[in-house]
Amino acid sequence: MSPPVILVDPLPRTLDLIMEPDVRARLERLGRVVVSEDKPMDDATIDALLPETALIFGQTAMPAERIARAAKLKAIINVETNFLPNVDYEACQTRGIPVITPGSAFAPPVAEAALGLALDLARGITAADRAMRAGTEEYGLAGNRDTFRFAGAPVGLIGFGDLGRNLRDLIRPFRNPVAVYDPWLPGEIIERADCRPASLEDVLSTSKVIFVFASVTSENQHFIGAREFAMMQKDTAFLLMSRAAVVDFPAMLDAVRSGHIRAATDVFPEEPVAPDDPVRKVEGLILSAHRTGGTVDALYAIGRMAVADAELIMRGLPPQLCRRADPAVASRLRSKPVSVT
Amino acid sequence: MSPPVILVDPLPRTLDLIMEPDVRARLERLGRVVVSEDKPMDDATIDALLPETALIFGQTAMPAERIARAAKLKAIINVETNFLPNVDYEACQTRGIPVITPGSAFAPPVAEAALGLALDLARGITAADRAMRAGTEEYGLAGNRDTFRFAGAPVGLIGFGDLGRNLRDLIRPFRNPVAVYDPWLPGEIIERADCRPASLEDVLSTSKVIFVFASVTSENQHFIGAREFAMMQKDTAFLLMSRAAVVDFPAMLDAVRSGHIRAATDVFPEEPVAPDDPVRKVEGLILSAHRTGGTVDALYAIGRMAVADAELIMRGLPPQLCRRADPAVASRLRSKPVSVT
Amino acid sequence: MSPPVILVDPLPRTLDLIMEPDVRARLERLGRVVVSEDKPMDDATIDALLPETALIFGQTAMPAERIARAAKLKAIINVETNFLPNVDYEACQTRGIPVITPGSAFAPPVAEAALGLALDLARGITAADRAMRAGTEEYGLAGNRDTFRFAGAPVGLIGFGDLGRNLRDLIRPFRNPVAVYDPWLPGEIIERADCRPASLEDVLSTSKVIFVFASVTSENQHFIGAREFAMMQKDTAFLLMSRAAVVDFPAMLDAVRSGHIRAATDVFPEEPVAPDDPVRKVEGLILSAHRTGGTVDALYAIGRMAVADAELIMRGLPPQLCRRADPAVASRLRSKPVSVT
Amino acid sequence: MSPPVILVDPLPRTLDLIMEPDVRARLERLGRVVVSEDKPMDDATIDALLPETALIFGQTAMPAERIARAAKLKAIINVETNFLPNVDYEACQTRGIPVITPGSAFAPPVAEAALGLALDLARGITAADRAMRAGTEEYGLAGNRDTFRFAGAPVGLIGFGDLGRNLRDLIRPFRNPVAVYDPWLPGEIIERADCRPASLEDVLSTSKVIFVFASVTSENQHFIGAREFAMMQKDTAFLLMSRAAVVDFPAMLDAVRSGHIRAATDVFPEEPVAPDDPVRKVEGLILSAHRTGGTVDALYAIGRMAVADAELIMRGLPPQLCRRADPAVASRLRSKPVSVT
């Protein structure tokens, strides 16, 4: 009997970026691995392999007719981490083929950076460094006129998926009261994490530090706009960590420029940001070029999680580390595919 | 019977800076409060009050002859938080008069800022912001070429008093292995905090992030010099949080300028730093003008801790929040008094 | 338009046992609730309601033909918490109808009791009480001849689902090294919980306290037998918390009677246990009549979790609190239905 | 120069019981060790050695005249762990000679056992075992009629020294609200441990589980009597862990016998308890023969802590692990010396 085929079509990622040698060796032990990583796998190869394919690692287009021909397919493992519309999720569900992705791999580095940015905004780290370079520093208490302690400050989380939960765990020693707005979750999930379920208005108006970890859907684009920024307290620290499209970006910049809030952002409406984009000059804003998640260790975690779940699936067991695409949810999500890793 | 006198001589602090109204009210309930805060209390007043004085809040000079005349003195509570040589510690000990200080009040804000600075050095927060303002940013993985994850990185602590212990608790969620060098402590204290007791060389050569929290003594000035910086791994993040005199400052700047390490410092050999001091221009160094401890809440904590212990002492109970001066140790410490709060 | 029907068929549970009034009120708001709790819902009623039924709460038989007629069915929520063979799981999957259960509700009380039993076995609580009632007690060190500290003792977990994870969190302050045997999980899940993935032999031979939290499947009945008990260290504390069928029960009793191990069990091969069953007289065994999970709060948690997920499902969102039946796994599980709550 | 003398007079302990070989070797390296452990050291030996004695390990009588002759004495280290009246604490303080004891060594095992006893009382572990042996067991929910979940139950601590703090840390995963009554401590110490400072009445009337960890002083004997037991809620779990004399013992037994509370005690007014003492037959009471602290590891911890602090003291540094006798406090404490280890 021929070994099962494992079709690897990982662009924009490559296997070397997501798998350390020992993980790749584990992948090789699962079947006959066929890789295309200089370009997307060509249709002829895909069509030839499909009948024997047990696993797809990557973002291969899988319309219903291909799924029908992949009689031995056990799972599709997206390694780009956004569910794309090129898979027929309903057809996969009907066949009992899970479509999964190790997207939570990015949560630890993003949450770590989010805390770093929040401490910076609260305690004035970047600002104090600039002041000292400009010769305008003040010492001791005078140097803390515009700062506040992160410890104990009311924190608001908008979105409580992997990112929010990672951040929540990182800040436990600071003993903040934490309010969470996440309309996709029952209050019980939020309360179990020692947080308080809250409305968006409540989070915006009572928090001193607000982290935005929400996904973009067809329904929530720009849901944080001028009206919402006006609800925030003066000097609130606002951190945009997930997707630029959830906020009205110009309204955010206005709120920062006017001195109403201070902010940090890792995402921008258009990336790369244009050389002359005025966002580059906004005072009171910490800029990060969509780089808090893309760390070497996060990419290796993608490969490690994908292969560990592939091992379970080949043994007839359910995956444990990757998230499943829910057809209803997948169709709501509006992430753009990444063009850079 | 006349009420006990509480002599308050807090310069360079003032009562308003260290006590919120409810705390001050508690102080007033302990006895007749006599305050001098525009200038140090004059000798005549001190000498007149001493026989009835139960508590001294502040930095009044207390040589042996004054202690001898203060027959009802129960404690001296230093609110500047450095034990000065103007008190005869031996005489106090003989009389059973504790000399105490709420110095640990500064540890939480300093530790919080230290973590913020460490996350900045590890993840390149300040550097990425500068790059984006300069138009030289890189996105995703490319933007992380010079970064490392703080989570899991080997951490070294030099000094494990209040500062080190606060930092240790803040970083628990990051699961770092933590090595501690503190020659004044038994290994058991360090191990109980889930850290590894280590030699200085061990800490320097195995840590990716090094926090200096050591006090200055007559014996350890400049104990981290060129030889010690050379022992560190390339790209180590070095954070000088306690006293400038424990390091050879020019050697530290050389190690940063050469690109061997990256660093942040909250302290400087001379403060305020001269306008033309070249330290202001060093790349790879985050500058903070001795301001991580001097937060509003830390100053209020000083007052709150001092009054809470004063209440215990007036009831015949031992103090619980302030640290006692140990005559042997107090004579070794070489902190300069603060000239700015 | 008529409101959706919510078919409630909860025996052996009743709604009053699993829902506090506020939770029941939330259920009523989701649709027209039709309840049968004195007897299983009769076929005629089911068949009449199925075309308009949106949710089934309970253990109604749902073969393929019924599923086919339930055109508006969105989910089946099992409140008994064992997936029974009377549902066609494949048919549900094909239709995208999740079959879910709030079985994790039992994990917190079982884990809490498991820790209590483990502390008892380690520190000799029950034994010391008996000794003092018999007049044979010894004081101080002499009274600790057969005890060991739970803190720091090597712990082994067999099974790392909800029960194992709850127990793991409860024992964190005791700083035990924890080894886990769970062949259904990748090592990464175990390591994230600060445990060590291990083989069964490793767990059995290196642990001082062994907790059995494994489910019964068609493959693992009696997998801990005489050979496995012999592998354990003398005086190991062995806790059987999940299902009696995973151990060779007589072999366990022999290991206890011989003095090789000490044990506690919450489950028995036949329940209720026969009046003259010799298990009732075994020394060195703590007996618990399948009662560690069945607490009032656990039953209310079942209702609360079920309704919270029902609310999400009715909004088109995926459930968050209940576990989904995986057809492949459901067919392997061999739990008996409960006959008593 | 002759080496310093280390006078070891540890009865009722012996060196073997409190020091493992490596710890004893560290002791030997500190000076010339002179031991008397079959009987208290005789006066002639003491008097001959005193002028060269640097450290006393043990409970040697040290009135003022002996202290005066011990010109090189640096510390007295009590290894029995109760400060006895045979030392002139004032004279030691005047000379700057710390009198210290590693009494906190007992806190971890006592707190561990206290949690085990509390879980037993809450969840009915001992009671369920007895019921099953008597053939009167009930299964599932029916078997939990008289139980409550320890998790989340209001906990009250009476006394917040080493014992209370250890217990507090052990129960963190259970998320209990914790009220503390300790008149010797400022509220801040209690609040830092996430507990609520409270009056005795408040603790007694609002807690579902009450732990008594208080020391006996000349002022607090029998301070928990009939009136206080009456304040408790029905079915409160009451754990007496520190000293029998803080409660009115017969009143406690009455409260248990009447079914008002359930209780566990590790201490008794007279120990050993008389063979015919009716306490041995009280239902609803878990009995422990003053054995929760006297574990092998606790005794070794005494030696390890004592030697570690001795090492610091010989280097001129303050001790870090042992507690100092405060003359004012030492004179209030009323513990009986232990007659059994």
Side-chain angles (χ1 to χ4, degrees):
Chain A
M1 203 182 79
S2 61
V5 168
I6 298 173
L7 198 155
V8 181
D9 192 12
L11 283 179
R13 314 219 184 272
T14 65
L15 274 195
D16 274 2
L17 282 177
I18 63 172
M19 292 190 196
E20 292 174 286
D22 61 318
V23 175
R24 176 135 184 188
R26 286 163 54 191
L27 178 67
E28 306 273 357
R29 282 195 288 273
L30 291 178
R32 181 159 73 92
V33 175
V34 182
V35 184
S36 172
E37 55 185 352
D38 54 341
K39 56 181 177 52
M41 194 171 282
D42 63 272
D43 291 353
T45 308
I46 293 168
D47 290 342
L49 293 171
L50 268 188
E52 296 302 319
T53 295
L55 296 173
I56 296 174
F57 272 73
Q59 291 68 249
T60 309
M62 287 296 287
E65 63 273 19
R66 278 192 174 165
I67 292 166
R69 276 184 296 121
K72 299 180 179 173
L73 186 61
K74 293 177 186 296
I76 298 173
I77 306 179
N78 174 317
V79 296
E80 193 258 349
T81 74
N82 294 297
F83 291 120
L84 306 179
N86 68 349
V87 171
D88 188 320
Y89 295 94
E90 298 276 357
C92 288
Q93 180 179 271
T94 301
R95 275 275 306 284
I97 298 168
V99 186
I100 63 177
T101 191
S104 63
F106 291 119
V110 173
E112 176 178 292
L115 176 56
L117 291 162
L119 289 170
D120 190 318
L121 291 175
R123 302 296 304 276
I125 290 173
T126 302
D129 177 72
R130 284 186 201 154
M132 199 147 182
R133 291 175 188 279
T136 60
E137 81 275 11
E138 292 186 282
Y139 292 77
L141 185 60
N144 280 299
R145 204 167 288 126
D146 297 324
T147 70
F148 62 90
R149 288 289 310 281
F150 181 76
V155 162
L157 306 183
I158 295 176
F160 199 60
D162 295 317
L163 288 173
R165 294 176 210 197
N166 264 270
L167 189 280
R168 198 281 162 274
D169 282 343
L170 289 186
I171 68 174
R172 284 192 181 273
F174 292 97
R175 301 184 182 193
N176 308 81
V178 181
V180 171
Y181 171 66
D182 191 323
W184 293 17
L185 291 183
E188 185 138 353
I189 292 268
I190 293 165
E191 288 164 352
R192 283 181 188 178
D194 300 313
C195 301
R196 179 174 65 85
S199 68
L200 179 60
E201 289 67 26
D202 182 351
V203 167
L204 297 174
S205 62
T206 65
S207 303
K208 192 75 191 151
V209 186
I210 298 172
F211 295 89
V212 181
F213 293 129
S215 307
V216 204
T217 71
S218 45
E219 297 144 32
N220 73 359
Q221 293 190 48
H222 310 316
F223 76 105
I224 303 175
R227 177 177 157 276
E228 284 70 28
F229 286 108
M231 281 180 193
M232 295 176 196
Q233 299 172 27
K234 173 100 174 74
D235 291 325
T236 292
F238 182 81
L239 297 107
L240 181 55
M241 303 305 299
S242 52
R243 300 289 169 192
V246 300
V247 308
D248 175 341
F249 212 79
M252 179 181 83
L253 298 185
D254 285 348
V256 174
R257 281 194 196 99
S258 72
H260 181 55
I261 63 167
R262 52 191 83 172
T265 187
D266 190 44
V267 288
F268 300 87
E270 295 296 326
E271 297 175 7
V273 171
D276 59 350
D277 191 313
V279 73
R280 296 181 185 273
K281 297 201 189 305
V282 178
E283 287 288 313
L285 179 65
I286 305 180
L287 300 162
S288 176
H290 208 149
R291 54 182 283 288
T292 62
T295 60
V296 171
D297 63 291
L299 292 171
Y300 283 150
I302 284 179
R304 204 165 53 238
M305 291 164 71
V307 170
D309 271 353
E311 291 169 337
L312 293 173
I313 289 163
M314 295 302 283
R315 288 170 55 208
L317 295 170
Q320 297 282 347
L321 293 161
C322 295
R323 187 174 64 248
R324 286 171 192 246
D326 182 291
V329 174
S331 68
R332 293 193 189 191
L333 292 170
R334 285 287 162 94
S335 293
K336 297 186 221 174
V338 295
S339 55
V340 285
T341 47
Chain B
M1 203 181 82
S2 61
V5 168
I6 299 173
L7 197 156
V8 181
D9 191 14
L11 285 178
R13 314 219 184 274
T14 64
L15 275 194
D16 275 2
L17 282 177
I18 62 174
M19 291 190 197
E20 292 174 286
D22 61 318
V23 175
R24 176 136 182 188
R26 286 163 55 191
L27 177 67
E28 306 274 359
R29 282 196 286 274
L30 291 178
R32 182 160 72 93
V33 176
V34 182
V35 184
S36 171
E37 54 184 352
D38 55 340
K39 57 183 175 52
M41 195 171 281
D42 63 274
D43 289 353
T45 307
I46 293 168
D47 290 342
L49 293 171
L50 268 189
E52 296 301 319
T53 294
L55 296 173
I56 296 174
F57 272 73
Q59 291 69 248
T60 310
M62 288 296 287
E65 62 273 19
R66 277 192 173 164
I67 292 166
R69 276 184 295 121
K72 299 180 179 173
L73 186 63
K74 292 177 188 296
I76 297 174
I77 306 178
N78 173 317
V79 295
E80 194 259 348
T81 73
N82 293 296
F83 291 119
L84 307 179
N86 68 349
V87 171
D88 189 321
Y89 295 95
E90 298 275 358
C92 289
Q93 180 180 273
T94 301
R95 276 276 304 284
I97 298 169
V99 186
I100 63 178
T101 191
S104 63
F106 291 119
V110 172
E112 175 178 292
L115 176 56
L117 291 162
L119 289 170
D120 190 319
L121 291 175
R123 301 297 303 276
I125 290 174
T126 302
D129 177 72
R130 284 187 202 155
M132 199 148 183
R133 291 173 188 279
T136 59
E137 81 274 11
E138 292 188 283
Y139 292 77
L141 186 59
N144 280 298
R145 203 167 288 125
D146 297 324
T147 70
F148 61 91
R149 287 290 308 282
F150 181 77
V155 162
L157 306 183
I158 297 176
F160 199 59
D162 296 316
L163 289 172
R165 293 176 210 195
N166 263 270
L167 188 281
R168 199 280 162 272
D169 282 342
L170 289 187
I171 68 174
R172 284 192 181 272
F174 293 97
R175 302 185 182 193
N176 308 81
V178 181
V180 171
Y181 170 66
D182 191 324
W184 292 18
L185 292 183
E188 186 139 352
I189 292 269
I190 293 165
E191 288 164 352
R192 284 181 188 177
D194 299 312
C195 301
R196 179 172 65 85
S199 68
L200 179 60
E201 289 67 26
D202 182 351
V203 167
L204 297 174
S205 62
T206 65
S207 303
K208 192 74 189 153
V209 185
I210 298 172
F211 294 90
V212 180
F213 293 129
S215 307
V216 204
T217 71
S218 45
E219 295 144 34
N220 73 359
Q221 294 190 46
H222 310 316
F223 77 102
I224 304 175
R227 179 177 156 277
E228 284 72 27
F229 287 107
M231 281 180 192
M232 296 175 195
Q233 299 172 27
K234 173 99 173 76
D235 290 326
T236 291
F238 181 82
L239 297 107
L240 180 55
M241 302 305 298
S242 53
R243 301 288 168 192
V246 300
V247 308
D248 176 340
F249 211 81
M252 179 181 84
L253 297 185
D254 285 348
V256 174
R257 280 195 197 100
S258 72
H260 181 54
I261 64 167
R262 52 191 84 171
T265 187
D266 189 45
V267 288
F268 300 87
E270 295 295 327
E271 297 174 6
V273 172
D276 59 349
D277 191 313
V279 74
R280 295 180 185 273
K281 298 202 189 305
V282 178
E283 287 288 313
L285 179 67
I286 305 179
L287 300 163
S288 175
H290 208 147
R291 53 181 284 288
T292 62
T295 60
V296 170
D297 63 291
L299 293 171
Y300 283 149
I302 284 179
R304 205 166 51 238
M305 292 164 71
V307 170
D309 272 354
E311 290 169 338
L312 293 173
I313 289 164
M314 295 301 284
R315 289 170 56 207
L317 295 170
Q320 296 283 346
L321 292 160
C322 295
R323 186 173 68 247
R324 287 171 192 247
D326 182 289
V329 174
S331 68
R332 292 192 190 192
L333 292 169
R334 283 288 162 93
S335 292
K336 296 188 224 175
V338 294
S339 54
V340 284
T341 46
Chain C
M1 204 181 78
S2 60
V5 168
I6 300 173
L7 198 155
V8 180
D9 192 13
L11 286 178
R13 313 218 186 273
T14 64
L15 275 194
D16 274 1
L17 281 178
I18 63 173
M19 292 191 196
E20 291 173 287
D22 62 317
V23 175
R24 177 137 183 188
R26 285 164 55 190
L27 178 67
E28 306 273 359
R29 283 195 288 274
L30 291 178
R32 180 158 74 94
V33 175
V34 182
V35 184
S36 172
E37 54 185 352
D38 53 341
K39 55 182 177 51
M41 194 171 281
D42 63 274
D43 290 352
T45 307
I46 293 168
D47 289 343
L49 293 171
L50 267 187
E52 297 302 318
T53 295
L55 296 173
I56 296 174
F57 272 73
Q59 290 70 247
T60 309
M62 287 297 287
E65 63 272 20
R66 279 192 174 165
I67 292 166
R69 277 184 295 121
K72 299 181 179 173
L73 186 61
K74 294 176 186 295
I76 297 173
I77 306 179
N78 173 317
V79 296
E80 193 258 349
T81 74
N82 293 295
F83 291 120
L84 307 180
N86 67 350
V87 171
D88 188 321
Y89 296 94
E90 298 277 357
C92 289
Q93 180 180 273
T94 301
R95 274 276 305 283
I97 298 168
V99 186
I100 63 178
T101 191
S104 64
F106 292 118
V110 173
E112 175 178 293
L115 176 55
L117 291 162
L119 290 170
D120 190 318
L121 291 176
R123 301 297 304 277
I125 290 174
T126 302
D129 177 73
R130 284 186 202 154
M132 199 146 182
R133 290 174 189 278
T136 59
E137 82 273 11
E138 293 186 281
Y139 292 76
L141 186 60
N144 281 297
R145 203 168 287 126
D146 296 325
T147 71
F148 61 90
R149 287 289 310 280
F150 181 76
V155 162
L157 306 183
I158 296 177
F160 199 59
D162 296 316
L163 289 173
R165 294 176 209 196
N166 263 272
L167 189 281
R168 199 281 162 272
D169 282 343
L170 289 187
I171 68 174
R172 285 192 180 272
F174 292 96
R175 302 186 181 192
N176 308 81
V178 181
V180 171
Y181 170 66
D182 191 324
W184 292 18
L185 292 183
E188 186 139 352
I189 292 268
I190 293 165
E191 288 164 352
R192 284 181 187 178
D194 300 312
C195 301
R196 178 173 66 84
S199 68
L200 179 61
E201 289 68 25
D202 183 350
V203 166
L204 297 174
S205 62
T206 66
S207 303
K208 193 73 190 154
V209 185
I210 299 173
F211 294 90
V212 180
F213 293 129
S215 307
V216 204
T217 71
S218 45
E219 297 144 33
N220 73 359
Q221 293 189 47
H222 310 315
F223 77 104
I224 304 176
R227 178 178 157 275
E228 285 70 29
F229 286 108
M231 281 181 193
M232 296 176 196
Q233 299 173 27
K234 173 98 173 76
D235 289 326
T236 291
F238 181 81
L239 297 107
L240 180 54
M241 303 305 299
S242 52
R243 301 287 168 192
V246 301
V247 308
D248 175 340
F249 212 79
M252 179 181 83
L253 298 185
D254 284 348
V256 174
R257 280 193 197 101
S258 73
H260 181 53
I261 63 168
R262 53 191 86 172
T265 187
D266 190 44
V267 288
F268 300 86
E270 295 297 326
E271 297 175 5
V273 171
D276 59 349
D277 191 314
V279 72
R280 296 180 184 272
K281 297 200 188 308
V282 178
E283 286 289 312
L285 179 66
I286 306 179
L287 300 162
S288 175
H290 208 148
R291 53 182 285 288
T292 62
T295 61
V296 171
D297 63 290
L299 292 171
Y300 284 150
I302 283 180
R304 206 166 51 238
M305 292 165 71
V307 170
D309 271 354
E311 290 169 338
L312 294 172
I313 289 164
M314 295 302 284
R315 290 171 54 207
L317 295 170
Q320 296 284 345
L321 292 161
C322 295
R323 186 174 67 247
R324 285 171 193 247
D326 183 289
V329 174
S331 68
R332 292 194 191 192
L333 292 170
R334 285 290 162 92
S335 292
K336 296 186 223 176
V338 293
S339 53
V340 285
T341 46
Chain D
M1 206 182 78
S2 62
V5 168
I6 299 173
L7 198 154
V8 180
D9 192 13
L11 284 178
R13 315 219 184 272
T14 65
L15 274 193
D16 275 2
L17 281 177
I18 63 172
M19 292 190 195
E20 291 174 287
D22 61 318
V23 174
R24 176 138 185 186
R26 285 162 56 190
L27 177 68
E28 306 272 358
R29 282 195 288 275
L30 291 178
R32 181 159 72 93
V33 175
V34 182
V35 184
S36 171
E37 54 184 354
D38 54 340
K39 56 181 176 52
M41 194 171 281
D42 62 272
D43 291 352
T45 307
I46 293 168
D47 290 343
L49 292 171
L50 268 188
E52 296 303 318
T53 295
L55 295 173
I56 296 173
F57 271 72
Q59 291 69 248
T60 309
M62 286 297 287
E65 64 273 18
R66 277 192 174 164
I67 292 166
R69 275 183 297 122
K72 299 180 180 174
L73 186 63
K74 294 177 187 294
I76 297 173
I77 306 180
N78 173 317
V79 296
E80 193 259 349
T81 74
N82 294 295
F83 291 120
L84 307 179
N86 68 348
V87 171
D88 188 321
Y89 295 95
E90 297 277 355
C92 288
Q93 179 179 273
T94 301
R95 275 275 306 283
I97 298 168
V99 185
I100 63 178
T101 191
S104 63
F106 292 119
V110 173
E112 175 177 295
L115 176 56
L117 291 162
L119 290 170
D120 190 318
L121 291 176
R123 301 298 304 276
I125 290 173
T126 302
D129 177 73
R130 284 186 203 154
M132 198 146 183
R133 291 174 189 278
T136 59
E137 80 274 12
E138 293 186 282
Y139 293 76
L141 186 60
N144 280 298
R145 202 167 289 124
D146 296 324
T147 70
F148 61 90
R149 288 288 311 281
F150 181 76
V155 162
L157 306 183
I158 296 176
F160 199 60
D162 295 317
L163 289 172
R165 295 176 209 196
N166 263 271
L167 188 280
R168 199 281 162 272
D169 283 342
L170 289 186
I171 68 173
R172 285 192 180 272
F174 293 96
R175 302 187 181 189
N176 308 82
V178 181
V180 171
Y181 170 66
D182 191 323
W184 293 18
L185 291 182
E188 186 138 353
I189 292 268
I190 294 165
E191 288 164 353
R192 284 181 188 178
D194 300 313
C195 300
R196 177 172 67 83
S199 68
L200 179 60
E201 287 69 24
D202 183 352
V203 166
L204 297 175
S205 62
T206 66
S207 303
K208 192 74 189 152
V209 185
I210 299 173
F211 294 90
V212 180
F213 293 130
S215 307
V216 204
T217 71
S218 45
E219 296 144 33
N220 74 358
Q221 294 191 45
H222 310 315
F223 77 103
I224 304 177
R227 179 179 156 273
E228 286 70 30
F229 286 108
M231 282 182 192
M232 296 175 195
Q233 299 172 27
K234 173 98 173 77
D235 289 326
T236 291
F238 181 81
L239 297 107
L240 180 55
M241 303 305 299
S242 52
R243 300 288 168 191
V246 300
V247 308
D248 175 341
F249 212 80
M252 180 180 83
L253 298 185
D254 285 347
V256 174
R257 281 195 197 99
S258 72
H260 182 53
I261 64 168
R262 51 191 86 173
T265 187
D266 190 44
V267 288
F268 299 87
E270 295 296 325
E271 296 174 6
V273 171
D276 59 350
D277 191 313
V279 74
R280 295 180 184 273
K281 296 200 189 308
V282 179
E283 286 289 312
L285 178 66
I286 306 178
L287 300 162
S288 176
H290 208 149
R291 54 183 283 289
T292 63
T295 61
V296 171
D297 62 291
L299 292 171
Y300 284 150
I302 284 179
R304 206 166 53 239
M305 293 165 71
V307 170
D309 271 354
E311 290 169 339
L312 294 172
I313 290 164
M314 295 303 283
R315 290 170 55 207
L317 294 169
Q320 297 283 346
L321 293 160
C322 296
R323 185 174 68 248
R324 285 170 193 247
D326 183 289
V329 174
S331 68
R332 292 194 191 192
L333 292 170
R334 283 290 161 93
S335 292
K336 297 186 221 174
V338 294
S339 53
V340 285
T341 47

